[in-house]
Amino acid sequence: MAAGQIVFDLSADDGEESLPDEGGATMSLEAKSLSLELKAGGSGQFTAVFATLNVVDLDGDVTLPGAFSDGAGVLIGAWNHANGSLPVGKGVIREHGNTVRVEGAFFLDTPRGEAAYRTIRNLGTLTEWSYVFRVIDHSFGEWPVAAGQNHRVRFLKALDVVSVDPVARGAGVGTRTERIKSAAAVDLEREVLRFWRTLARQNGAAA
């Protein structure tokens, strides 16, 4: 197993987790870690760059264009892949060029979701993220790393992404942090919404 790569296996005796696919073969859950790019949106909304294509990552993998299912839904998981914890948000995967993003939102109406949002915002560039996935299709081959030198890599051709989770350390390539909506802005939106709800109730009672 490459450095920085996590493989979960619930069925195997050696601790590796394999899940059967439709054809009866086993499929392992893996995780890749990297920094995330957060961008402002509505309350709790963000846009995050979580993968770069056509580069060798620290696991020795090259993820190829088309590996991600554009438009697929994905969970935003708890810190450090906390097994058994509820998700803190949800999103949609978008692949464009060599950049893969998740357009999502934290569950600000849940304690864990709001805590994750505020913590990640306060950590800023210290936050790194990992995406948990199953390999649907892959192959092995050579990739140029220097003049006249090739490195044997695994080419990831098709992935099923289960979740994108915040972690303490990662192995990302070409990722960066933009911005996430400020807590003050979110609080202001809540106050405005509360005001209009109160006004609507008062108008309804007066009628």
Side-chain angles (χ1 to χ4, degrees), residues 88-110:
V88 297
K90 65 179 181 179
V92 176
I93 294 173
R94 299 297 183 191
E95 181 179 321
H96 181 71
N98 285 332
T99 300
V100 186
R101 291 179 168 84
V102 56
E103 298 175 352
F106 292 102
F107 297 148
L108 296 184
D109 56 346
T110 68

Side-chain angles (χ1 to χ4, degrees), residues 2-5 30-34 50-64 68 131 133 143 145 151-156 159 170-175:
Q5 178 175 306
E30 303 182 27
K32 287 192 178 295
S33 300
L34 31 85
F50 72 93
T52 302
L53 308 178
N54 286 324
V55 296
V56 181
D57 64 24
L58 297 186
D59 293 333
D61 292 335
V62 176
T63 307
L64 300 178
F68 295 90
Y131 60 100
F133 63 97
W143 186 266
V145 294
H151 181 70
R152 184 168 174 79
V153 301
R154 179 176 65 162
F155 292 102
L156 300 177
L159 303 175
V173 177
T175 60

